[in-house]
Amino acid sequence: MTSDRAPRAVVVGGGIGGLAAARGLQLAGWSVLVLERAAALEPLGAGISLWPNAVRALQDLGVHLPVRTDDTATGGGMRTRHGRWMARTHAERFPDRYGAPLLAVHRADLQEALLGALAPGTVVTGTPVLGIDGGPDSARVRHGAGEERAELVVIADGVRSAARALVAGPGPRPRYAGYTAWRAVVPAGAVRARLDGATESWGRGERFGIVPLADGRVYWFATANAPEGEHAVGGEHAEVRRRFSDWHAPIPEVVRATCAGDVLRHDVYELRPHPRSYVGGRLVLLGDAAHAMSPDLGQGACQAIEDAAALRVLVPVGGDVDAGLAAYDRLRRPRARGIARRSAQVGRLGQLEGRVTSGARDLAVRWLPDVVGERQLDGVLRWRPPPAVVPGGAGSRG
Ligand SMILES: Cc1cc2nc3c(=O)[nH]c(=O)nc-3n(C[C@H](O)[C@H](O)[C@H](O)COP(=O)(O)OP(=O)(O)OC[C@H]3O[C@@H](n4cnc5c(N)ncnc54)[C@H](O)[C@@H]3O)c2cc1C
């Protein structure tokens, strides 16, 4: 895939975005080094929904998830806190409609699949990037163990990216969305109730989602309007039980079946304003560093994976890297910005707290035919990687 003489790409950050980018660039012929500041890539986190756009991008990247095709999500939809259906998702139609299924997996399984697709020794942990000096054709990356010269630097260091400002200036910053999110995964067999696919139930300023994972475990998430940085004095599991114990079945059972120590809580942040460019010289933003969005469409990591699949096509070794990066900026920025906006809108609707406003919202969602909701998803889920724009151009100049 790469040779010693292949030009060097350094990826800052070994999250989902950084690992996917590394895979894409290795397929494109680059010699890739991922620098990750964490001491180890721990299999942390809860579940994650991978929508058809990302599943197809992962297929393009040759990343194989440990999932059988008949493990794909089916059914599902939106309910009120009392259990009344407001809209159905029909995830079983996705393979026909979008060419790939909706998959729900544990983040650890996605991380393992991405790592397994990389050449040995690609990721170096315990190595924070301390600074980057960018030039027109290359950059010098200073890190905890020395420095590295690279013809391409992918900045994938997450929503709190320190390196983003080198490309996008100081403007784009993480802004608190006004609500917090709890997440956990329940062991297979611990929930006895029959689950109706992936569901999200809306209350007043609170939501609860249940997502059966492909391997039989159950991932759930819950949200609530709350002050930034707040933590529950009596523990987060107790807080979720307090808030959701009178919601419709099987929500109380799902919460009861969760080990208290498994409940994660994170405030939700979005990047605002959106960067004016994803590219500066040979530095390129990817994933949350470029477009951190609220989780309301479940598209944050999906967009990072799309970024990676696009980069693979647009900056092949031997092509014109600068033209490829310009195309990446032109194609990726409007798409991710549009999806981030829609995600934020859904978040604002979902977190409505007033009796009248949330009641009117529920009515509107119920009256909207399912097919309208499906059509709105089409633009997000029918994504295809771009065609190669600059084959055999001016060379990588590396
Ligand atoms: C509640 C919630 C639910 C979500 N659900 C979904 C979902 O269902 N589907 C979906 O697609 N998305 C979802 N998302 C979004 C998704 O989690 C993120 O978009 C995705 O994880 C971003 O990946 P990333 O690699 O860009 O950033 P990160 O995961 O933040 O990775 C950045 C990495 O960079 C490293 N790093 C930082 N600084 C440095 C440095 N100086 N040097 C070296 N390394 C550094 C960090 O240690 C980290 O490992 C959800 C988010 C939340 C909060």
Side-chain angles (χ1 to χ4, degrees):
M1 222 160 10
T2 57
S3 75
D4 288 346
R5 291 167 55 208
R8 189 63 145 169
V10 168
V11 178
V12 184
I16 294 169
L19 297 180
R23 169 65 178 172
L25 290 173
Q26 280 177 348
L27 289 176
W30 294 80
S31 157
V32 184
L33 179 68
V34 178
L35 299 173
E36 167 55 51
R37 74 175 168 196
L41 287 183
E42 303 284 359
L44 292 174
I48 190 160
S49 302
L50 295 171
W51 293 80
N53 53 320
V55 172
R56 235 188 358 259
L58 285 171
Q59 286 165 355
D60 285 347
L61 292 169
V63 175
H64 303 292
L65 291 162
V67 176
R68 299 193 313 262
T69 42
D70 55 354
D71 288 333
T72 58
T74 55
M78 294 173 61
R79 309 175 75 169
T80 66
R81 58 167 289 171
H82 304 294
R84 182 170 188 167
W85 287 97
M86 297 194 287
R88 299 275 187 169
T89 311
H90 303 297
E92 65 282 358
R93 296 184 194 156
F94 285 6
D96 283 342
R97 195 174 175 97
Y98 304 117
L102 165 65
L103 295 178
V105 298
H106 199 288
R107 280 178 187 253
D109 291 335
L110 174 58
Q111 186 192 69
E112 198 180 311
L114 289 165
L115 279 171
L118 294 176
T122 303
V123 183
V124 181
T125 52
T127 310
V129 168
L130 307 172
I132 304 171
D133 306 313
D137 296 342
S138 66
R140 195 164 59 96
V141 180
R142 286 176 282 114
H143 55 79
E147 65 175 53
E148 191 77 26
R149 183 161 286 283
E151 282 76 50
L152 179 64
V153 178
V154 178
I155 296 172
D157 51 353
V159 60
R160 301 196 180 281
S161 169
R164 175 172 52 230
L166 296 170
V167 173
R173 281 191 290 129
R175 317 274 167 166
Y176 181 48
Y179 63 96
T180 196
W182 295 269
R183 286 176 284 176
V185 172
V186 182
V191 177
R192 313 190 83 158
R194 200 182 67 82
L195 302 178
D196 299 298
T199 55
E200 185 169 323
S201 305
W202 285 10
R204 293 173 51 196
E206 295 173 329
R207 287 178 281 166
F208 197 99
I210 299 176
V211 185
L213 297 188
D215 61 7
R217 289 181 283 181
V218 177
Y219 162 51
W220 62 259
F221 59 88
T223 66
N225 295 338
E228 185 178 9
E230 186 186 75
H231 283 285
V233 178
E236 302 302 342
H237 186 231
E239 178 67 8
V240 176
R241 284 181 81 152
R242 184 183 72 73
R243 286 177 178 271
F244 296 95
S245 60
D246 61 345
W247 283 44
H248 70 79
I251 291 173
E253 185 194 342
V254 168
V255 177
R256 268 198 317 273
T258 307
C259 298
D262 290 345
V263 178
L264 304 173
R265 176 174 179 172
H266 292 100
D267 287 349
V268 171
Y269 289 89
E270 303 153 286
L271 190 63
R272 274 188 281 137
H274 208 83
R276 286 177 175 214
S277 176
Y278 285 180
V279 175
R282 290 299 179 91
L283 314 184
V284 54
L285 299 177
L286 182 142
D288 276 11
H291 46 62
M293 59 187 73
S294 74
D296 300 288
L297 291 180
Q299 278 289 328
C302 294
Q303 289 306 301
I305 294 165
E306 279 190 13
D307 291 343
L311 211 50
R312 174 208 173 173
V313 176
L314 295 171
V315 291
V317 164
D320 183 334
V321 176
D322 299 306
L325 291 178
Y328 174 88
D329 182 55
R330 201 168 56 242
L331 293 168
R332 296 304 305 155
R333 203 156 39 84
R335 174 161 169 85
R337 187 181 54 216
I339 292 174
R341 271 196 197 139
R342 281 174 64 181
S343 199
Q345 282 163 0
V346 173
R348 279 194 293 276
L349 268 182
Q351 293 303 129
L352 282 177
E353 206 168 331
R355 185 179 295 279
V356 175
T357 49
S358 62
R361 169 203 68 194
D362 291 356
L363 270 181
V365 175
R366 231 169 53 222
W367 280 344
L368 203 70
D370 292 345
V371 65
V372 176
E374 274 177 9
R375 277 199 207 117
Q376 284 181 346
L377 280 178
D378 281 356
V380 178
L381 304 187
R382 282 216 170 104
W383 182 81
R384 291 272 185 283
V389 283
V390 279
S396 72
R397 290 203 272 148

